[in-house]
Amino acid sequence: MPSYRRPRLLAPLLLIPLISSCFASGGGAGDSGAGGGGKGGDGSRLRVALAFPPAENLSPYGADATLLSRLGVTEGLTSLDANGSAAPALAESWRRDGDRAWEFSLRDATFQDGTDVTPAAVADSLAKATDAEPAPAALAGVTLTAKGSGERVVRITTDEPDPVLPLRLSSPSLAVLSAKAYEKSGRVDPVGHATGPFELTKVNGATSASLDRFDDYWGGRAQASGIDARFIADGTARANALRTGELDIAEAVPVAQAASLDKETRRDTATTRTTSLLFNPESGPFKDAGLRAAARGALDTSVFAKDVYEGYGDPGAGVYGPAVTWAEGKRTEPVGRADAKKPAGETINLATYDNRPELPEVAQVVKQQLEKAGFKVELTVREYSRLEGDALDGKFDAFVLARNTLLDTGDPVAVLASDYTCDGGYNIAQLCDKGVDRAVADAEKIADTAKRQDAAMAAEARILGSDAVVPLVHQRIITGVADSVQGVVLDPYERTLVGTGTRR
């Protein structure tokens, strides 16, 4: 069993790839209205349903980081633009100073508790993230030190050269919070201590949360006065609530429910999310490379996009899907595949989660195909937060995972390091292969964009050659948006959902 740190899913990640669909907002005229509550008094509150409930008390260092960023609560020094490049956020600009140092110039901004965003506050927030256990996935393999340098500059030094540090700092898990967020021993409290356009005011466990507009947001006042967020794991329930007018926005509508929504309320977006089948090469039947090859050969991946995802997806081609447009022209054949060995009735423990309702159906199809090839398959389906620990501990022989490959950092190499190396922080695949580790390490050193992409694809070829991962489908995400709403952010990286211009 390889040793690795265990950050939670940032829900399970580009050095300048072009995305086939840019960020877009829901069209149509909208009425900002005179609705309810919230600071400022004008603008209706938005009613939003998210698929994943908080798993870690809204800590920014794990699965809950994207909940905070999608609701407009948190932000970091940088963000990702539609092309996957690092863009200004709390930092207006930056420059590299030698191989290991970068200087970030801060904009004039205020935390939601009224304190100023200063170089010292930013440095302290990044230091807390660096010291977190487990460490955020965006910092896998990276040690950095941040210090204030003058009135508006933060100087960040890394132990080893990091050519993609501005991309790394865009991760939702590296959100900048005020000093007050860290006053409670043993936890981070983002309520009222972030910098985004919406401020958390109340969290009702894993059920709901209330947010008010933050009037002093550096990017201008949001048009909605606040957000009433509900965490609804059941995809059918999310779609029904949108259809009956209880919601304004419902994320991750199941494909089975898409036809039940009016065409005007459906938004489908090409994303960088790939659904894959992971085989455990460290223990159990799939420690045998020949059986992994047999299982991979037994899978007919063409059925997933067409049947399970009903056209809202593309057949699995690799770690990176068609939304990452540079990948297809650089993809090479898998390296080092073993010869298939005939299964002899080995029992496989296959697992997945039901927060994304297509995944249990994917797992059922996988189960049928593996059984037809001669395996016996036991299927486990749970809610994600009840499954993750066992998955990271390698307690399953196979796992169906939907992973946004560019979510954590925006760098194509980072997901390979996190998910498929011996010390990877999110190595559900349990892969520990010296050839893969060397290929990923070589890619991490490259600063040139095109050459880094080439190296990422060379590493992908070795990962696929191990048969520890079989890409099944590249997913499109369906967002339900009431026809009275405009300005929803349809983000291929799935980091953002509501912004200053989102209103009804």
Side-chain angles (χ1 to χ4, degrees), residues 458-485:
E460 182 201 61
R462 288 193 172 275
I463 291 165
L464 296 180
S466 73
D467 284 330
V469 55
V470 180
L472 302 177
V473 63
H474 304 294
Q475 193 173 343
R476 299 181 70 87
I477 295 296
I478 305 170
T479 306
V481 182
D483 56 13
S484 62
V485 175

Side-chain angles (χ1 to χ4, degrees), residues 19-270:
I19 299 298
S20 58
S21 67
C22 294
F23 295 85
S25 61
D31 181 4
S32 60
K39 298 177 182 177
D42 58 322
S44 298
R45 293 178 67 83
L46 295 168
R47 299 164 301 169
V48 179
L50 300 182
F52 287 83
E56 298 166 324
N57 296 315
L58 291 177
S59 166
Y61 302 142
D64 297 349
T66 50
L67 296 180
L68 296 169
S69 67
R70 287 176 71 73
L71 290 172
V73 176
T74 56
E75 56 193 354
L77 287 178
T78 61
S79 61
L80 284 184
D81 68 13
N83 290 329
S85 304
L90 289 175
E92 290 183 311
S93 62
W94 51 89
R95 70 179 189 90
R96 194 171 187 178
D97 184 14
D99 288 339
R100 298 189 300 110
W102 296 75
E103 292 188 342
F104 293 82
S105 298
L106 302 181
R107 68 173 72 250
D108 185 10
T110 305
F111 289 110
Q112 293 161 351
D113 55 24
T115 58
D116 292 334
V117 176
T118 64
V122 172
D124 181 63
S125 187
L126 291 176
K128 293 292 195 302
T130 301
D131 293 339
E133 288 292 343
L139 293 179
V142 175
T143 301
L144 60 81
T145 303
K147 294 182 178 179
S149 178
E151 291 185 7
R152 304 304 306 163
V153 175
V154 177
R155 184 177 177 85
I156 301 178
T157 305
T158 57
D159 283 4
E160 300 292 335
D162 186 7
V164 295
L165 183 66
L167 281 176
R168 193 180 304 282
L169 293 174
S170 74
S171 170
S173 64
L174 298 182
V176 174
L177 302 174
S178 74
K180 294 181 180 179
Y182 309 101
E183 289 180 349
K184 295 181 180 179
S185 178
R187 60 167 298 210
V188 184
D189 182 11
V191 178
H193 305 313
T195 61
F198 293 100
E199 175 185 351
L200 274 171
T201 57
K202 185 177 182 181
V203 179
N204 301 308
T207 304
S208 63
S210 297
L211 302 89
D212 285 345
R213 176 173 53 214
F214 176 42
D215 286 346
D216 293 329
Y217 179 55
W218 61 265
R221 293 170 71 236
Q223 295 188 32
S225 61
I227 300 172
D228 296 313
R230 295 164 61 187
F231 305 110
I232 305 175
D234 183 271
T236 300
R238 290 196 301 277
N240 287 340
L242 180 75
R243 196 163 43 243
T244 57
E246 298 174 43
L247 293 175
D248 300 310
I249 304 168
E251 73 164 3
V253 173
V255 294
Q257 295 294 317
S260 70
L261 299 179
D262 293 338
K263 184 178 179 180
E264 292 73 19
T265 64
R266 298 196 306 265
R267 310 281 195 277
D268 68 281
T269 310

